[in-house]
């Protein structure tokens, strides 16, 4: 093999198949599992309406295109919904993670198909990443499994795993942003670049927070300018996540974009599942170094305060803002 071809192959294998610490996947597993629970727990009181023949959805669309997707009897609907909750809890705490993720993926996808009349991005994100977790070693650290095998939730030596699952997750996140950007450019570039789309949305009191609607009315031009600049950044967010030199900017911009959305609108806090994927973008060795500094109590107080503030801001923005 020519030197150039050998070098290319080595870089390819190093990128996709190199061994790396699983600590980033473990942190993601906890945040993502908790966010998925935020999506499914509020739906429990509405199980009969969502998944049974007596509900209000099935007379609208019986999903006759796939006979196996049929409305459930109330006992089976509750059983599957509760089993999904239990599986997501198991994923979050790291108990038989791969099996729990597979069960959660199957049930979540089935229930999502029952609601096929109103598909949305968050359901697809939850399904995709539950499936990818099945093939990862995300349950090897900060988990019940680690405690059972080593006696500690976080063993001193961080387990290693192939980079493939994490790389696929990051590429999937980048692809989601690039597809959304392409859709915005194709179907509404002019109103987006003029800042009109966000302005219209904020003026809609059924979708935005009351104070955000008043802000949009009182400061229309600054809101339009900020929205237009945000849209320009959004167009390049997907590719920026994949390049090491721009990843930090992409993380900062993406988190800011989603935080503003969570605070100013009434969307579900389950959108934190999308935000949690940003945990996978930094090199896992960076997470390993930060954890080692924290365990030795050598991490600087400003850095710790910054991390705690970002986490608290998202949680408060999602919960208090509802």
């Amino acid at each position: 093999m020519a030197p150039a071809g050998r070098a290319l192959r080595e870089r390819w294998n190093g990128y996709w198949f190199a061994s790396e610490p699983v600590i980033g996947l473990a942190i993601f597993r906890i945040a993502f599992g908790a966010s998925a629970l935020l999506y499914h727990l509020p739906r429990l009181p509405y199980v009969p309406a969502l998944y049974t023949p007596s509900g209000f959805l099935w007379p609208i669309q019986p999903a006759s295109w796939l006979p196996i997707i049929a409305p459930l009897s109330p006992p089976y609907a509750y059983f599957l919904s509760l089993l999904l909750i239990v599986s997501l809890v198991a994923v979050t705490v790291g108990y038989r993670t791969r099996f729990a993720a597979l069960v959660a993926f199957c049930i979540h996808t089935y229930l999502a198909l029952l609601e096929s009349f109103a598909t949305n991005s968050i359901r697809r994100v939850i399904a995709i990443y539950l499936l990818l977790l099945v093939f990862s070693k995300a349950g090897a650290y900060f988990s019940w499994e680690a405690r059972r095998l080593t006696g500690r939730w976080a063993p001193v030596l961080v387990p290693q795993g192939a980079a493939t699952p994490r790389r696929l997750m990051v590429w999937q996140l980048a692809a989601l942003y690039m597809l959304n950007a392409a859709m915005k450019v194709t179907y509404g570039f002019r109103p987006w670049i003029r800042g009109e789309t966000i302005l219209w949305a904020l003026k809609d009191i059924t979708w935005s927070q009351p104070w955000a609607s008043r802000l949009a009315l009182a400061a229309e031009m600054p809101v339009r300018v900020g929205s237009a600049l945000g849209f320009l950044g959004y167009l390049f967010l997907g590719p920026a996540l994949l390049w090491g030199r721009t990843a930090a900017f992409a993380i900062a911009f993406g988190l800011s974009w989603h935080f503003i959305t969570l605070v100013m609108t009434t969307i579900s806090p389950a959108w934190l599942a999308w935000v949690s994927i940003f945990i996978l973008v930094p090199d896992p060795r960076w997470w390993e170094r930060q954890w080692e500094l924290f365990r030795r109590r050598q991490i600087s107080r400003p850095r710790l305060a910054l991390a705690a503030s970002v986490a608290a801001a998202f949680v408060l923005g999602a919960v208090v803002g509802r």
Side-chain angles (χ1 to χ4, degrees):
M1 182 179 291
R6 188 181 302 112
L8 181 62
R9 182 176 179 180
E10 289 177 355
R11 292 187 64 179
W12 173 270
N13 291 337
Y15 182 84
W16 286 105
F17 306 111
S19 180
E20 64 181 26
V22 300
I23 185 170
L25 281 169
I27 299 172
F28 163 73
R29 185 203 77 238
I30 296 170
F32 178 78
S35 304
L37 283 169
L38 281 176
Y39 177 81
H40 281 287
L41 280 173
R43 306 170 79 80
L44 282 179
Y46 307 102
V47 164
L50 292 170
Y51 310 123
T52 69
S54 61
F56 60 87
L57 301 182
W58 277 94
I60 298 175
Q61 182 170 346
S64 57
W65 54 274
L66 191 59
I68 194 175
I69 305 300
L72 304 167
S73 64
Y76 282 115
Y78 275 113
F79 172 75
L80 285 180
S81 297
L82 291 173
L83 182 58
L84 175 58
I85 297 299
V86 171
S87 301
L88 289 174
V89 170
V91 169
T92 306
V93 302
Y95 178 78
R96 300 188 179 277
T97 308
R98 289 182 171 180
F99 179 72
L102 179 60
V103 173
F105 165 76
C106 292
I107 300 176
H108 169 83
T109 303
Y110 184 83
L111 296 181
L113 288 173
L114 287 177
E115 300 178 63
S116 59
F117 81 104
T119 57
N120 60 34
S121 297
I122 191 60
R123 283 211 290 264
R124 290 193 292 270
V125 166
I126 292 175
I128 291 169
Y129 284 88
L130 281 173
L131 181 60
L132 290 174
L133 280 174
V134 175
F135 303 98
S136 75
K137 295 181 67 176
Y141 206 67
F142 295 138
S143 64
W144 192 284
E145 294 174 16
R147 182 174 177 83
R148 178 174 59 86
L149 294 174
T150 67
R152 304 182 66 173
W153 290 87
V156 176
L157 295 178
V158 180
Q160 303 287 306
T164 311
R166 185 183 68 86
R167 295 290 189 189
L168 286 174
M169 293 180 184
V170 173
W171 273 82
Q172 176 63 43
L173 177 65
L176 288 170
Y177 281 116
M178 287 188 278
L179 287 173
N180 280 339
M183 182 182 65
K184 289 177 171 59
V185 169
T186 303
Y187 296 105
F189 178 78
R190 192 177 297 274
W192 272 103
I193 198 64
R194 291 178 176 177
E196 296 171 351
T197 303
I198 296 295
L199 184 65
W200 293 336
L202 291 178
K203 289 181 178 180
D204 183 357
I205 60 174
T206 63
W207 186 80
S208 66
Q209 297 288 354
W211 67 268
S213 295
R214 292 193 294 269
L215 175 65
L217 292 171
E220 181 172 324
M221 184 54 66
V223 170
R224 291 183 62 170
V225 172
S227 301
L229 292 175
F231 172 66
L232 288 174
Y234 191 91
L235 293 178
F236 300 98
L237 179 55
L241 286 167
L242 301 175
W243 192 29
R245 296 183 179 181
T246 57
F249 161 78
I251 293 171
F253 176 82
L255 291 180
S256 301
W257 177 278
H258 287 293
F259 175 71
I260 292 172
T261 304
L262 283 168
V263 171
M264 300 185 74
T265 69
T266 57
I267 66 172
S268 167
W271 277 95
L272 289 174
W274 193 305
V275 175
S276 66
I277 308 170
F278 282 87
I279 293 170
L280 298 169
V281 178
D283 190 313
R285 295 169 186 82
W286 181 85
W287 283 113
E288 187 179 32
R289 290 194 297 271
Q290 304 312 306
W291 171 244
E292 187 62 25
L293 290 173
F294 177 78
R295 183 156 51 185
R296 295 181 179 180
R297 298 183 179 181
Q298 295 177 347
I299 193 168
S300 65
R301 291 185 178 181
R303 182 177 297 181
L304 187 61
L306 176 62
S309 299
V310 171
F314 271 100
V315 173
L316 290 176
V319 177
V320 178
R322 302 288 65 79

